[in-house]
Amino acid sequence: MGASARLLRAAIMGAPGSGKGTVSSRIIKHFELKHLSSGDLLRDNMLRGTEIGVLAKTFIDQGKLIPDDVMTRLVLHELKHLTQCSWLLDGFPRTVPQAEALDRVYQIDTVINLNVPFEVIKQRLTARWIHPASGRVYNIEFNPPKTVGVDDLTGEPLVQREDDKPETVIKRLKAYEAQTEPVLEYYRKKGVLETFSGTETNKIWPHVYAFLQTKVPQTNQKASVHP
Ligand code: AMP
């Protein structure tokens, strides 16, 4: 067995609002994997004002994806520093050309796909209402106002931010689906796609944890932490 046989090359995929952020942070807490998020990488480049950061900002501001060649170069460059590590890619690959470019350099062992029903995500993402004058934030599920649609203190109407409106959320989810379905299909065909379905992150997580225990090399498992 070569050194690479002892390392895990994984990716995680899930729509906005699927709980991908929560699941990723739990994975990192329980397993010694380097977490490489393409969004974080881009934001870091933007903050530092690098050439890629300046370019990326023009695309992100228009709600567009970064061109495949730029994105692939950026991520593969980062991965060069991690040849001795097990890693978890997050947000990359987002397109089939990105998946193919990654494949030319690394063999992906597993792709964790979080599959949460459209309606549940829509409910989660549209649950936030604000009182514009004070900035008070309510969440219909976790922190609802005493009366629906009305600020507790002033009695004034609550509004939704553009991003939280059902029309916008549906558009984002449809765009995600259209964009990533071919990537999921690509990994399905390769036999490395592992789909976890459910409506609650806390119920999905134990399955992801149990699955990773069978996949992550012993040397990258943290012994003492409970899921
Ligand atoms: P995220 O935090 O993953 O939602 O990424 C923020 C933004 O960065 C996205 O909306 C895209 O514009 C861009 N981005 C992140 N990852 C990729 C990728 N793999 N390919 C193209 N664009 C990306």
Side-chain angles (χ1 to χ4, degrees):
M1 271 204 285
S4 61
R6 286 182 278 113
L7 300 172
L8 182 76
R9 272 58 171 103
I12 185 164
M13 298 183 64
S18 65
K20 179 165 68 83
T22 307
V23 171
S24 296
S25 57
R26 290 187 189 172
I27 292 176
I28 299 318
K29 189 170 147 208
H30 290 90
F31 300 97
E32 269 166 29
L33 305 179
K34 293 278 179 197
H35 178 224
L36 192 64
S37 147
S38 55
D40 287 352
L41 205 54
L42 291 168
R43 282 183 284 276
D44 174 59
N45 272 271
M46 290 195 287
L47 271 177
R48 289 189 291 120
T50 66
E51 209 177 311
I52 283 189
V54 173
L55 179 76
K57 190 171 182 324
T58 63
F59 286 93
I60 291 179
D61 284 351
Q62 298 173 61
K64 289 188 181 156
L65 287 183
I66 312 305
D68 285 334
D69 58 331
V70 176
M71 204 59 228
T72 301
R73 235 182 309 134
L74 182 66
V75 172
L76 289 182
H77 178 75
E78 280 307 301
L79 289 179
K80 268 193 196 153
H81 303 300
L82 304 175
T83 50
Q84 301 307 314
C85 308
S86 287
W87 39 248
L88 176 72
L89 296 178
D90 179 351
F92 180 95
R94 277 260 222 304
T95 66
V96 171
Q98 291 179 12
E100 287 169 343
L102 180 66
D103 251 359
R104 287 193 279 275
V105 193
Y106 299 98
Q107 192 191 328
I108 298 301
D109 301 304
T110 192
V111 174
I112 293 167
N113 174 34
L114 303 181
N115 178 32
V116 178
F118 209 89
E119 270 310 307
V120 173
I121 296 189
K122 200 177 98 191
Q123 243 169 22
R124 274 184 202 164
L125 294 181
T126 56
R128 186 162 56 168
W129 288 80
I130 54 172
H131 175 238
S134 67
R136 265 188 291 283
V137 179
Y138 298 88
N139 185 296
I140 300 302
E141 286 179 52
F142 308 118
N143 167 35
K146 291 190 185 108
T147 310
V148 175
V150 176
D151 179 47
D152 287 352
L153 298 189
T154 62
E156 288 168 355
L158 300 175
V159 301
Q160 281 188 300
R161 293 205 181 110
E162 203 50 46
D163 256 13
D164 303 334
K165 289 186 178 164
E167 314 83 84
T168 316
V169 165
I170 290 170
K171 240 196 233 166
R172 271 165 69 204
L173 289 175
K174 289 228 160 104
Y176 174 84
E177 223 172 48
Q179 215 177 74
T180 51
E181 191 45 53
V183 182
L184 293 176
E185 191 50 34
Y186 177 88
Y187 286 124
R188 201 174 284 131
K189 277 196 191 129
K190 284 192 171 286
V192 295
L193 189 72
E194 203 63 38
T195 296
F196 297 88
S197 304
T199 55
E200 288 174 49
T201 306
N202 281 342
K203 290 195 177 152
I204 292 180
W205 163 246
H207 297 282
V208 175
Y209 179 77
F211 170 71
L212 282 175
Q213 278 192 310
T214 69
K215 282 277 170 189
V216 177
Q218 272 309 315
T219 47
N220 293 141
Q221 303 217 11
K222 296 182 188 175
S224 56
V225 213
H226 198 268

